[in-house]
């Protein structure tokens, strides 16, 4: 079946602009995660959705970052007033995690969106 | 605090050598899960294995094997008879699965080990 897809694959924007990054998870996965990966580092957690709601947004670095998942499937990560430090690869993942613990299933990652802020 | 340490930044081997990638983790939870992911030069993270904290049995899958030891908080990954196609960055990750409020499941990654296998 289809894996996690992300668009665009690359995004170059000027400092101060607004960007939206899209993620389409694996069908049937209610759990969706956003991570950010800087060069030479492991992915860092940003936000976790269970269905339509953000169950954990503790990883968002500041209030310029926001994410939505209005119908419990596709999610959009939104970054306002972009800064050069926001440049990274933004990864989306989905899993069978149901929010009912204690169990943690593997996450399947999309190819990422490489964001470059000039 | 939860933490994953992959002390080996880069490893270089010659094809057919065996190689072990180390992973040490820290967590206060009694129920947790450990994972390994592969990130080839193409960039997409590929899931390799998932292990829960109650299952310390070693696992073998083809040329891959994993050694989980709770006593030393380690979850090491061995590739036997390495091949050029094994060249990638390998990440170890930890996920806590809490009884209260359900599992969040967000992954805490190490910094990765870059493996280069030369012909």
């Amino acid at each position: 079946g289809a894996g996690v897809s992300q668009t665009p694959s690359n995004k170059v924007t000027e400092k101060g602009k607004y960007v939206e990054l899209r993620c389409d998870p694996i069908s049937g996965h209610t759990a969706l995660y956003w991570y950010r990966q800087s060069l030479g580092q492991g992915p860092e957690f940003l936000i976790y959705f269970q269905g339509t709601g953000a169950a954990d947004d503790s990883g968002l670095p500041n209030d310029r970052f926001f994410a939505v998942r209005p119908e419990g499937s596709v999610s959009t990560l939104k970054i306002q007033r972009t800064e050069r430090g926001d440049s990274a690869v933004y990864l989306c993942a989905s899993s069978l995690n149901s929010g009912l613990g204690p169990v943690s299933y593997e996450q399947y990652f999309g190819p990422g969106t490489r964001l470059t802020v000039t | 605090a939860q933490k994953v340490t992959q002390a080996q930044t880069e490893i270089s081997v010659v094809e057919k050598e065996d190689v072990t990638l180390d992973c040490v983790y820290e967590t206060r939870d009694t129920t947790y899960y450990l994972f390994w992911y592969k990130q080839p030069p193409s960039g997409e993270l590929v899931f390799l294995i998932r292990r829960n904290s109650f299952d310390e049995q070693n696992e073998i899958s083809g040329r891959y094997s994993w050694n989980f030891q709770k006593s030393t908080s380690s979850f090491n990954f061995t590739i036997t008879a390495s091949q050029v196609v094994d060249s990638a960055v390998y990440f170890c990750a930890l996920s806590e699965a809490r009884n209260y409020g359900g599992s969040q499941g967000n992954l805490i990654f190490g910094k990765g080990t870059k493996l280069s296998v030369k012909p």
Side-chain angles (χ1 to χ4, degrees):
Chain A
V4 177
S5 61
Q6 292 186 247
T7 54
S9 54
N10 278 285
K11 176 72 178 178
V12 180
T13 191
E14 291 180 352
K15 180 175 177 298
K17 298 289 189 184
Y18 167 83
V19 296
E20 289 190 352
L21 312 179
R22 176 189 165 107
C23 171
D24 201 340
I26 292 172
S27 177
H29 282 188
T30 58
L32 184 147
Y33 302 81
W34 283 99
Y35 294 83
R36 177 167 73 173
Q37 186 175 22
S38 300
L39 195 62
Q41 303 293 317
E44 293 180 316
F45 168 74
L46 296 176
I47 187 169
Y48 155 56
F49 284 91
Q50 184 54 247
T52 60
D56 182 1
D57 64 359
S58 62
L60 295 177
N62 52 59
D63 61 6
R64 295 187 298 105
F65 288 74
F66 189 71
V68 296
R69 195 186 185 198
E71 297 177 358
S73 179
V74 170
S75 175
T76 305
L77 178 66
K78 308 180 180 194
I79 311 174
Q80 298 177 323
R81 304 183 304 280
T82 51
E83 298 177 357
R84 293 195 180 89
D86 298 335
S87 296
V89 176
Y90 289 81
L91 297 167
C92 177
S94 70
S95 83
L96 288 171
N97 285 339
S98 65
L100 303 173
V103 67
S104 184
Y105 293 100
E106 60 272 21
Q107 296 177 23
Y108 294 93
F109 284 81
T113 294
R114 181 176 298 278
L115 175 66
T116 303
V117 182
T118 61
Chain B
Q2 313 85 35
K3 187 178 177 182
V4 174
T5 301
Q6 295 180 255
Q8 304 150 309
T9 307
E10 291 193 42
I11 300 176
S12 183
V13 299
V14 176
E15 212 170 17
K16 297 184 184 175
E17 283 186 31
D18 298 348
V19 59
T20 295
L21 309 181
D22 297 335
C23 172
V24 173
Y25 62 92
E26 295 175 32
T27 178
R28 289 173 296 186
D29 282 11
T30 55
T31 304
Y32 54 89
Y33 288 76
L34 296 163
F35 304 80
W36 276 94
Y37 283 84
K38 175 182 180 180
Q39 190 171 43
S42 60
E44 194 155 343
L45 280 160
V46 176
F47 165 73
L48 296 178
I49 189 171
R50 161 183 173 254
R51 213 82 184 125
N52 75 51
S53 52
F54 297 109
D55 183 0
E56 284 193 76
Q57 279 194 347
N58 291 334
E59 179 150 344
I60 298 174
S61 176
R63 296 183 297 107
Y64 294 171
S65 62
W66 290 269
N67 183 288
F68 176 27
Q69 294 200 347
K70 286 179 77 170
S71 60
T72 56
S73 297
S74 65
F75 186 44
N76 296 337
F77 173 30
T78 297
I79 302 175
T80 302
S82 58
Q83 299 177 1
V84 172
V85 293
D86 295 328
S87 297
V89 179
Y90 290 87
F91 290 97
C92 180
L94 165 71
S95 174
E96 294 166 337
R98 302 180 183 126
N99 287 303
Y100 55 89
S103 163
Q104 293 179 350
N106 44 293
L107 297 172
I108 300 154
F109 284 86
K111 292 189 174 182
T113 297
K114 183 177 180 180
L115 174 65
S116 298
V117 181
K118 305 201 183 307

